[in-house]
Amino acid sequence: MSTAFVPGSFDPMHLGHLDVVDQALEVFGAVVIGVLHNPSKPSGLFTPDERVALAEQTVGDRRSVTVGAFSGLAVQAAAAAGADIIVKGLRTTNDFDIEQQMAHNNVALTGIRTVFVPCRPDLAFISSRFIREISSQGVSIDHMVVPAVSAALSTKHGEVNS
Ligand code: PNS
């Protein structure tokens, strides 16, 4: 059994992410979800601690899945988590272009390899960015996230707008 590290911003975690975690779990047997700060993106809607809590609620009672907040490079976080491999989901060819570059950098830096899994076609349209945008207008995103995340988005947008 190996441990797969699934990194991302998870702002918030959605059902597309959950599918990637489930695929990684099936292949590798154990998964660490790494909530990482992405310096190329402006500060997010949820704090890192909130993202971890929502990811934990999203994975529910799945065994052999843990969630943590990490800083630095994905490979440093993967090593800190005791993971052997990084797993990333691919939605589109745009995802592939940047992910392939990151995978080459990561293996050159540490030897930690990246495995890509295709996102489930019926979930491939989902992104955290659009979830934040749609829910900020009070429109339901219940088909894209677990109920706890939907509730947290309603609360957060209420706080932001008050
Ligand atoms: O969910 P996202 O925002 O697409 O996740 C991107 C993330 C956080 C996984 C990516 O930006 C990342 O790995 N950041 C950590 C810094 C790093 O390792 N950069 C790559 C150097 S080659």
Side-chain angles (χ1 to χ4, degrees):
M1 190 176 86
S2 298
T3 298
F5 188 71
V6 179
S9 303
F10 300 110
D11 187 30
M13 186 162 178
H14 54 63
L15 298 184
H17 291 134
L18 185 59
D19 171 54
V20 172
V21 168
D22 280 337
Q23 292 192 53
L25 198 54
E26 198 178 322
V27 175
F28 296 106
V31 171
V32 177
I33 298 173
V35 176
L36 288 177
H37 173 60
N38 184 348
S40 66
K41 291 187 180 175
S43 64
L45 183 63
F46 291 102
T47 67
D49 284 349
E50 288 171 335
R51 295 179 203 185
V52 167
L54 292 174
E56 285 172 342
Q57 291 173 83
T58 299
V59 298
D61 59 4
R62 282 169 177 73
R63 287 166 160 236
S64 306
V65 180
T66 56
V67 186
F70 297 86
S71 55
L73 299 174
V75 281
Q76 293 172 315
D84 325 285
I85 199 101
I86 292 172
V87 172
K88 292 279 191 85
L90 295 179
R91 287 170 299 198
T92 63
T93 51
N94 285 346
D95 282 350
F96 178 74
D97 287 342
I98 182 66
E99 293 297 347
Q100 185 190 39
Q101 271 185 296
M102 283 203 275
H104 287 322
N105 271 293
N106 288 341
V107 77
L109 286 172
T110 59
I112 295 183
R113 296 191 180 281
T114 300
V115 168
F116 298 129
V117 298
C119 290
R120 233 174 65 187
D122 57 316
L123 301 175
F125 69 98
I126 301 177
S127 82
S128 297
R129 179 188 149 200
F130 292 130
I131 286 171
R132 293 192 301 271
E133 195 173 327
I134 294 166
S135 60
S136 74
Q137 300 305 311
V139 177
S140 173
I141 39 66
D142 290 354
H143 52 303
M144 299 193 256
V145 295
V146 299
V149 172
S150 180
L153 282 161
S154 298
T155 304
K156 181 65 77 172
H157 290 307
E159 287 168 8
V160 169
N161 295 329
S162 63

